[in-house]
Amino acid sequence: MAKSFMSDFRQFFLRGLAAVLPTLITVMILIYVFKFVDSYLGKYMNVGVQWLVVQAGAARTTPFSWRGPDKAWDVVKAAWQDYHLGWIGFTLAIAGIYIVGRFVASFVGRGLWKLVDQTLYRTPVIRQVYPHVKQVTDFLLSEKKLEFSRVVAVEYPRKGIWSVGLVTGPGMRKLCTQISKDLLTIFIPSSPTPVTGYTITVRRDDVIDLPISIDDALRFTVSGGVIMPVSQQLGKAETDQARQGMLPASQDKESPA
């Protein structure tokens, strides 16, 4: 039976949306970041540069004043608009952020930034917001990326149910010492968004190593098990039987004699 127009439209619209949406969201986030930098840093950088221009122009003709001549301000602001010089402040803001990053990476900068960080953590009101914001920005911008060593299968969330997991490292020292067993820390990604999931610690001999790549495991999770790694695929007949809730012939229970 031929598909109706609405069914056909819905299928391909969702497919197109899935293809276009990640790019659009990425562009939107980048535009927001650029606007944020320009609005909260670039704008004030422009004012600072304009102030320097005013002071430099009035230095030889009028006595020094922090404000500077109003006429000079009018000329400078008009030039800023006529020649579209707003990019100067944005460029200086980007350069300023880079300089702060270099400073924080230095020996003195690390110590000073740690002191500022601890102060913000202890400041009333700010401490209710700052730690959560810092946690998000550290996750998004940290140079230390989450690394997985291999793919395993583990019985989770209970015996008899096997989940695909990614090994992140050994277990905690206290657990290993208390149990006297080698432990593994495993991240169990959820479908269809593998960036969320559960972190568990299990005994090393309770997991089964799977001969598939990290990418294959993530594709398997995102697709809800539809995209099976090629090396782990069953035959077509066995796959059809599994989807129909039937056991392969080789696994049928023997009928009583």
Side-chain angles (χ1 to χ4, degrees):
M1 181 178 179
K3 292 183 178 179
S4 65
F5 171 76
M6 289 304 300
S7 177
D8 188 72
F9 176 82
R10 179 178 178 275
Q11 176 185 352
F12 288 102
F13 176 80
L14 292 178
R15 186 176 298 179
L17 193 62
V20 173
L21 202 57
T23 302
L24 291 179
I25 293 176
T26 301
V27 172
M28 288 171 60
I29 292 175
L30 291 176
I31 291 175
Y32 174 79
V33 171
F34 284 131
K35 286 185 175 180
F36 179 86
V37 172
D38 188 50
S39 298
Y40 292 93
L41 292 176
K43 180 173 66 174
Y44 300 104
M45 291 288 184
N46 276 320
V47 173
V49 175
Q50 291 172 5
W51 181 84
L52 291 175
V53 173
V54 168
Q55 294 297 332
R60 297 181 180 180
T61 58
T62 61
F64 173 80
S65 68
W66 285 107
R67 164 63 187 175
D70 291 337
K71 185 176 181 180
W73 273 103
D74 294 337
V75 172
V76 171
K77 287 182 178 180
W80 233 253
Q81 293 181 354
D82 293 340
Y83 296 100
H84 306 287
L85 299 178
W87 59 268
I88 294 178
F90 178 79
T91 304
L92 290 175
I94 296 295
I97 294 174
Y98 169 78
I99 292 172
V100 170
R102 296 285 296 186
F103 175 72
V104 171
S106 67
F107 177 77
V108 176
R110 281 198 301 270
L112 183 59
W113 184 251
K114 185 177 180 180
L115 179 62
V116 172
D117 196 50
Q118 292 174 348
T119 302
L120 292 173
Y121 267 99
R122 293 193 294 263
T123 304
V125 180
I126 293 178
R127 67 185 180 189
Q128 306 300 325
V129 180
Y130 178 75
H132 306 291
V133 175
K134 188 175 185 299
Q135 190 175 32
V136 173
T137 55
D138 284 349
F139 175 77
L140 294 175
L141 303 176
S142 175
E143 295 179 358
K144 295 181 179 179
K145 302 301 181 183
L146 187 62
E147 295 183 356
F148 305 114
S149 60
R150 64 185 191 275
V151 183
V152 297
V154 59
E155 287 187 290
Y156 178 84
R158 66 170 176 82
K159 290 288 184 180
I161 297 180
W162 290 90
S163 298
V164 173
L166 308 173
V167 178
T168 58
M172 295 183 183
R173 182 190 302 273
K174 179 63 176 179
L175 283 174
C176 293
T177 304
Q178 189 73 25
I179 301 176
S180 299
K181 296 285 185 179
D182 288 336
L183 301 176
L184 292 177
T185 299
I186 300 173
F187 175 69
I188 308 292
S190 60
S191 299
T193 53
V195 294
T196 62
Y198 299 92
T199 302
I200 62 173
T201 301
V202 297
R203 296 195 308 180
R204 186 183 296 271
D205 53 8
D206 284 340
V207 305
I208 299 176
D209 285 283
L210 298 178
I212 61 176
S213 66
I214 304 295
D215 290 340
D216 284 340
L218 293 178
R219 279 192 288 268
F220 176 79
T221 302
V222 170
S223 67
V226 175
I227 303 178
M228 182 78 67
V230 176
S231 63
Q232 303 303 308
Q233 292 178 2
L234 298 175
K236 185 179 185 304
E238 294 172 310
T239 301
D240 292 340
Q241 289 175 339
R243 289 175 176 173
Q244 295 171 9
M246 299 169 58
L247 289 172
S250 61
Q251 296 182 15
D252 287 343
K253 294 181 179 180
E254 296 182 2
S255 57

